[in-house]
Amino acid sequence: MRTLAIVTNVYVYEDRGGAVRALEATTTRPLRWAAWRPDGGSALIVGNRGAVLRFDGERFGFEAIATDSTHNLRGVAWAPHGERALLVGNRGAVLLYDGKASFSELPRVTDENLRRIAWSPDGASALLVGNAGVVLRFEAATGGLQQLPADRAHTMRSIAWRPDGAYALIGGYASRRAGYPRPHMLYRCDGRYVQGILATDDEDDALSIDWRPGTKEPNATVLVATYGNDGVVHNKRVEYTGSGVQFSDLAGLPPLLGFGWHPGGEHGLLCGETGTLLRVDDEVVTPIASGTNDNLVGPFWQPRATSPVALMLKGPEERVYTI
């Protein structure tokens, strides 16, 4: 039987000059998520059937890393000091990477698909989130996983720790199919307990969360997709300060898939379907020519203050909840 190759593209946005470069990754498997090592020298990119690539941040080259895994991997995150990384995927799969060449699969504590990971700023633990409201805690000292008591939800979609380590902000898919008349879109977790903090009357999906660097008072930007009765996806931006929220519409745009602040905090990038790429300077949104009609997933900013690049992955053609 003939196997059709999948063209898997990775896009690189270069902050200096604002140009976008398309690269062809050395894999035939769809890629889903990326995370930079804290020193900014390389990034891990994960995808279906255990695919893991190392991306060189200087040469823009790829190296495949064997995992001996067949899981569809959906998320990856490096520990703050770069000594290890966690990878998560379907049916509760959790892999621990030693930072060099070795992967070990942790004992499974859930059969739900896992999607995102956020390490506490001190590196002592990590939170892993996924479908059906699942929130897991990973203990760095013991390598153990524990499922935390949490709210029932359709999907825990996104997560990011507040820079001072006070708590992690979790974004959920507030689907009425979860069984609540007003499901929660945002949650807080101090590492032990999960608390719903923002319910919604709309079918809101908190796709991405990023805390803005360089601010005196930490504030998080949440990108929200709202599924309307008209069948159209409406984009919203939510600013969360810890004591309140502010909504603003991102009208007239194709469905967006991600937002990320520049490491210096002075501007951000929005990316989405049909090659949508936008620069955000506070309230000013400026289009950037991406040179593609691919759905763009990301952005994943290289963690360095001067002339960083941002990676974006070719996303699936289906609706955003498949990411």
Side-chain angles (χ1 to χ4, degrees):
M1 180 180 295
R2 182 181 178 186
T3 301
L4 296 178
I6 300 171
V7 178
T8 305
N9 289 335
V10 174
Y11 295 90
V12 179
Y13 170 79
E14 299 183 71
D15 190 52
R16 180 181 294 172
V20 178
R21 184 189 306 190
L23 306 173
E24 187 171 333
T26 53
T27 180
T28 58
R29 298 168 185 172
L31 300 176
R32 290 179 176 266
W33 207 250
W36 287 92
R37 201 165 194 154
D39 62 9
S42 64
L44 284 183
I45 305 175
V46 302
N48 286 2
R49 302 288 294 173
V52 177
L53 302 179
R54 181 185 291 113
F55 176 76
D56 189 311
E58 298 297 332
R59 299 180 179 86
F60 290 4
F62 300 92
E63 176 191 0
I65 307 175
T67 63
D68 294 327
S69 173
T70 58
H71 301 298
N72 288 348
L73 301 174
R74 290 176 175 264
V76 55
W78 282 96
H81 303 298
E83 74 279 11
R84 66 180 84 179
L86 284 172
L87 295 72
V88 296
N90 286 1
R91 299 185 178 181
V94 181
L95 304 182
L96 181 63
Y97 176 51
D98 68 356
K100 299 175 182 177
S102 177
F103 293 84
S104 56
E105 184 169 352
L106 302 185
R108 200 169 306 186
V109 298
T110 179
D111 289 327
E112 296 292 343
N113 294 348
L114 299 174
R115 293 174 176 268
R116 302 289 176 261
I117 311 148
W119 286 84
S120 60
D122 62 5
S125 64
L127 294 175
L128 295 63
V129 300
N131 289 6
V134 168
V135 180
L136 307 182
R137 177 185 171 95
F138 170 78
E139 292 286 354
T142 64
L145 283 173
Q146 172 192 6
Q147 185 162 346
L148 302 183
D151 206 351
R152 184 161 50 96
H154 181 70
T155 297
M156 294 298 203
R157 172 77 72 198
S158 52
I159 183 170
W161 272 93
R162 182 171 150 140
D164 62 7
Y167 57 84
L169 191 63
I170 301 173
Y173 174 23
S175 169
R176 290 180 179 85
R177 287 176 290 175
Y180 290 103
R182 299 183 71 237
H184 286 93
M185 183 189 74
L186 288 179
Y187 301 80
R188 284 169 53 152
C189 180
D190 62 0
R192 298 291 182 184
Y193 300 98
V194 181
Q195 175 189 15
I197 57 173
L198 180 61
T200 176
D201 289 322
D202 296 323
E203 191 167 354
D204 287 334
D205 196 357
L207 299 177
S208 67
I209 298 172
D210 198 19
W211 292 88
R212 188 170 189 173
T215 54
K216 292 182 180 179
E217 294 296 328
N219 65 290
T221 299
V222 185
L223 176 65
V224 179
T226 299
Y227 307 115
N229 294 328
D230 54 6
V232 177
V233 179
H234 303 272
N235 304 300
K236 292 190 291 191
R237 175 179 169 185
V238 176
E239 299 297 327
Y240 177 76
T241 64
S243 58
V245 295
Q246 180 178 349
F247 287 82
S248 59
D249 287 329
L250 295 167
L253 299 172
L256 299 173
L257 302 178
F259 174 81
W261 286 108
H262 182 284
E266 59 264 31
H267 63 269
L269 285 181
L270 284 162
C271 64
E273 294 188 4
T274 63
T276 300
L277 183 60
L278 307 136
R279 174 174 167 139
V280 178
D281 294 273
D282 292 322
E283 301 305 318
V284 178
V285 179
T286 307
I288 298 171
S290 67
T292 181
N293 285 320
D294 287 342
N295 295 340
L296 299 178
V297 175
F300 308 99
W301 280 102
Q302 187 178 26
R304 64 185 187 191
T306 58
S307 302
V309 302
L311 295 180
M312 293 168 290
L313 309 179
K314 176 183 177 180
E317 295 179 359
E318 308 93 277
R319 186 60 66 81
V320 295
Y321 51 67
T322 62
I323 295 172

